[in-house]
Amino acid sequence: MRLYKTFLLFIIYSFIGWCYESAYVSILEKKFVNRGFLYGPLLPIYGVGALLIILLLQKTSDNIISLFLSSAVLISVLEYLTSWGMEKLFNARWWDYSTHRFHINGRVCLDGAVVFGLFSVLLIKVVNPFINSLIYKYMSAALLRWSSIILFILFLTDLALTVEHLLNLRLRLKIIQEAYDKYTKQLSETKTRLAAKISDQFENSVFYTTAVQKLLGSRRFRDSRLLRAFPRVRFLNFREAWEKLKENIRK
């Protein structure tokens, strides 16, 4: 029965995590925001994190400071690995703490670690004992088993649908991006050819005045020396003018 109870705790804490995240973001955005990765109201990273704290750190619960620090580090590692894994799998960054003062590659941050450390202390000292008492008091062995089985089937179905959709989305975006890249490449090539054609016609335009011709031909020795010394020099705001001047020098 321990396996059924462990899975039920996973579902409960995944739901609590979803409630916390959705409420927090909704308050910031001033509108309801569903922060669920899945279709259902679950955030599995909270469920996994809670189980890790319960299974690995409950023995250190007598020392609050040790529990707090160990939990903060453990959950930060979990969050970092989850962020990295989801980015590799779906080619997307799902959260980013780069704007926070203390962070590691935008995947985890100090204030998040502090919050999860506090949550973990609350989990071990208050929440988990209370939930355990409710399970033992109100759930028979049969009810625990069948509710866990039903929830597992629903969770697995939700997870499969979510992953299938995200992988399909990644494929669609890849095809769209490839088409867009080809379009921009073609546009860039067309723009380059057009710019060259326009440049070639500059001398035949009314803007190629005597004054401009004199400016192109003056100080040729010093311009040539500068060009030989710095052949890759670029004038950022006068790119076309500099190209015409170099062309005139080479002639």
Side-chain angles (χ1 to χ4, degrees):
M1 300 305 294
R2 185 176 181 181
L3 181 62
Y4 297 122
K5 179 186 165 231
T6 300
F7 179 74
L8 184 60
L9 289 176
F10 165 76
I11 293 294
I12 291 171
Y13 292 126
S14 296
F15 174 70
I16 292 175
W18 176 85
C19 291
Y20 163 73
E21 286 272 351
S22 296
Y24 177 74
V25 177
S26 296
I27 291 172
L28 292 179
E29 297 291 332
K30 297 181 180 178
K31 62 180 181 180
F32 175 72
V33 178
N34 181 353
R35 288 284 287 180
F37 172 74
L38 303 173
Y39 292 107
L42 299 174
L43 276 178
I45 188 173
Y46 279 84
V48 173
L51 290 182
L52 286 176
I53 298 300
I54 294 169
L55 296 175
L56 300 179
L57 300 179
Q58 198 160 20
K59 294 180 180 179
T60 66
S61 60
D62 292 337
N63 189 328
I64 298 296
I65 301 300
S66 176
L67 175 61
F68 169 79
L69 294 176
S70 300
S71 301
V73 172
L74 181 61
I75 297 304
S76 295
V77 171
L78 173 65
E79 186 175 27
Y80 191 97
L81 292 177
T82 302
S83 172
W84 178 84
M86 292 178 68
E87 182 175 330
K88 292 301 180 182
L89 182 60
F90 302 117
N91 195 31
R93 179 66 73 93
W94 297 92
W95 59 85
D96 191 350
Y97 299 120
S98 298
T99 57
H100 293 239
R101 181 173 295 181
F102 302 104
H103 67 89
I104 302 177
N105 296 330
R107 301 187 190 278
V108 294
C109 61
L110 180 60
D111 46 353
V114 171
V115 169
F116 287 122
L118 294 173
F119 279 179
S120 299
V121 173
L122 186 64
L123 171 72
I124 294 297
K125 292 296 185 181
V126 180
V127 179
N128 196 58
F130 175 71
I131 290 178
N132 273 323
S133 67
L134 292 179
I135 292 175
Y136 286 124
K137 185 175 181 179
Y138 295 106
M139 297 192 74
S140 64
L143 178 59
L144 177 60
R145 180 173 62 255
W146 285 109
S147 61
S148 298
I149 291 173
I150 293 171
L151 288 172
F152 178 74
I153 294 172
L154 292 174
F155 171 74
L156 209 59
T157 302
D158 194 344
L159 181 62
L161 290 173
T162 301
V163 172
E164 186 276 333
H165 170 253
L166 291 175
L167 291 177
N168 179 268
L169 175 61
R170 175 182 174 177
L171 178 61
R172 286 157 48 211
L173 290 175
K174 180 182 178 182
I175 295 172
I176 295 171
Q177 186 65 47
E178 288 175 350
Y180 183 80
D181 289 343
K182 290 178 182 178
Y183 162 72
T184 54
K185 181 181 179 181
Q186 184 183 62
L187 190 64
S188 177
E189 292 172 352
T190 302
K191 182 179 178 182
T192 300
R193 290 195 299 269
L194 183 61
K197 185 176 181 180
I198 292 174
S199 178
D200 291 341
Q201 296 300 317
F202 175 62
E203 288 82 354
N204 299 324
S205 71
V206 296
F207 303 100
Y208 191 66
T209 62
T210 302
V212 171
Q213 295 177 46
K214 288 182 179 179
L215 290 173
L216 285 170
S218 64
R219 303 193 179 192
R220 182 172 304 195
F221 174 77
R222 281 182 281 183
D223 290 343
S224 180
R225 186 210 63 80
L226 180 67
L227 183 60
R228 287 196 301 271
F230 301 96
R232 296 184 179 180
V233 65
R234 294 182 300 132
F235 291 87
L236 302 181
N237 293 327
F238 313 110
R239 185 169 62 88
E240 289 79 10
W242 176 238
E243 291 299 321
K244 278 296 177 186
L245 193 61
K246 288 196 297 182
E247 181 184 327
N248 196 59
I249 292 171
R250 291 179 181 129
K251 286 181 180 179

